[in-house]
Amino acid sequence: MKKILPYERTGDNGSNITLVFLHGSTMSKGGMYPFASVFKEYNCIVFDLTGHGQSDADEPDQISVFAEDVEYSLNQLKEQNIVTGQVILLGYSMGGAITCEIAIRNNLSLSGIVLLSSGGDLKNYSPMIDDLKAMPVEDFKTEDILYALFGIDTPEEDKKRISELFSSTKTADKTGYADLMLSNGYNNLEACKAIKIPALMVHGSDDKIVEPMAAVETWKTIEGSQLLMVPYKGHGAIYEDTEFIKDKIISFIKICS
């Protein structure tokens, strides 16, 4: 029997717009919460994905199963009036692939989607993950890849702050490795042509984990979508240029209303 995914709620519970945040590989909701918390004027929900954080389920072996669990949870939270009004999904990295999949499946009534450092094709644009395939899973440590979060001009104090956030809120290393391998196998770009709701891609121009072309190709595929390329930032762009990106997302939300 399915369970509602563990979640935290922040922002304005009375808002008629609900923002739903899906975290990335190696993460739990604790790593996504700081970004969600800056959207104070909206009803914000931050999930632990299946098999992560406080979720005691086994990790799925397909992005589509993650998507099913998010869909189920959102429908249940709608019945409880916790998710209200218009719903916009914001997915980071692996969470962006799940967001894509949910939009393609079209089982939920969404007003828009935001892909953060992600895209509809991660298979062809994550060569760093390709390089990890030769590593035995028991040797993988999340801390060993945190250097790749940053762009060419990230200040040392930001590197320390963001690395500490990821280290303190990460999932088990074995789960994180499985996340990376699953994300690296995801390519449903062609099906993204079916997405007809407003979509925004936000990506750092110096992303080493998911190359910027993943966002560009998705933007080209989803008719009428928008692309925000953040100069000199890496995979952790939302944790560096948070206020700038927040303002751009709020402008996007207004066109979804």
Side-chain angles (χ1 to χ4, degrees), residues 114-155:
V114 181
L115 306 186
L116 305 164
S117 303
S118 191
D121 177 6
L122 301 185
K123 183 176 183 178
N124 291 300
Y125 297 107
S126 54
M128 196 192 89
I129 311 305
D130 287 331
D131 294 340
L132 292 175
K133 290 178 180 177
M135 175 185 290
V137 60
E138 59 270 18
D139 291 347
F140 174 78
K141 299 289 183 290
T142 297
E143 285 81 1
D144 292 341
I145 65 167
L146 293 182
Y147 72 91
L149 286 170
F150 310 114
I152 58 176
D153 70 346
T154 305

Side-chain angles (χ1 to χ4, degrees), residues 11-250:
D12 180 3
N13 294 354
S15 173
N16 65 352
I17 297 176
T18 297
L19 306 183
V20 178
F21 295 81
L22 306 181
H23 63 73
S25 298
T26 79
M27 298 173 69
S28 69
K29 64 180 183 297
M32 203 67 196
Y33 187 87
F35 183 67
S37 67
V38 304
F39 294 89
K40 299 182 185 301
E41 59 268 58
Y42 303 105
N43 179 35
C44 298
I45 304 292
V46 190
F47 280 124
D48 266 335
L49 294 172
T50 312
H52 294 69
Q54 295 177 324
S55 170
D56 57 5
D58 293 332
E59 176 169 17
D61 59 1
Q62 297 180 54
I63 292 293
S64 60
V65 179
F66 277 111
E68 289 172 10
D69 292 344
V70 172
E71 290 169 352
Y72 173 82
S73 298
L74 286 176
N75 282 328
Q76 294 299 307
L77 293 179
K78 283 182 179 179
E79 290 185 7
Q80 298 175 21
N81 291 319
I82 293 170
V83 169
T84 56
Q86 296 176 294
V87 178
I88 297 172
L89 281 186
L90 300 93
Y92 175 62
S93 195
M94 182 178 77
I98 298 166
T99 296
C100 258
E101 196 67 15
I102 291 171
I104 290 166
R105 289 158 59 90
N106 197 28
N107 292 329
L108 292 175
S109 178
L110 298 175
S111 294
I113 59 171
V114 181
L115 306 186
L116 305 164
S117 303
S118 191
D121 177 6
L122 301 185
K123 183 176 183 178
N124 291 300
Y125 297 107
S126 54
M128 196 192 89
I129 311 305
D130 287 331
D131 294 340
L132 292 175
K133 290 178 180 177
M135 175 185 290
V137 60
E138 59 270 18
D139 291 347
F140 174 78
K141 299 289 183 290
T142 297
E143 285 81 1
D144 292 341
I145 65 167
L146 293 182
Y147 72 91
L149 286 170
F150 310 114
I152 58 176
D153 70 346
T154 305
E156 288 302 317
E157 59 268 29
D158 282 349
K159 290 181 180 179
K160 181 179 179 182
R161 171 180 58 84
I162 296 165
S163 294
E164 287 177 351
L165 173 65
F166 272 69
S167 293
S168 63
T169 61
K170 71 181 181 68
T171 190
D173 290 326
K174 180 179 178 181
T175 303
Y177 184 88
D179 288 346
L180 293 168
M181 296 304 111
L182 184 60
S183 298
N184 177 255
Y186 183 75
N187 179 6
N188 212 1
L189 185 63
E190 185 67 20
C192 286
K193 291 178 180 178
I195 298 174
K196 302 302 180 185
I197 56 176
L200 168 66
M201 271 52 72
V202 178
H203 218 98
S205 69
D206 196 32
D207 193 330
K208 301 177 183 68
I209 296 178
V210 177
E211 294 178 331
M213 282 305 295
V216 172
E217 291 299 327
T218 310
W219 166 65
K220 288 163 61 177
T221 300
I222 302 176
E223 185 177 356
S225 62
Q226 298 182 30
L227 173 64
L228 173 63
M229 194 64 66
V230 187
Y232 309 115
K233 299 304 178 186
H235 199 64
I238 63 172
Y239 299 98
E240 294 188 60
D241 275 1
T242 303
E243 287 299 313
F244 170 70
I245 292 171
K246 179 198 77 171
D247 290 344
K248 298 299 183 182
I249 291 175
I250 289 174

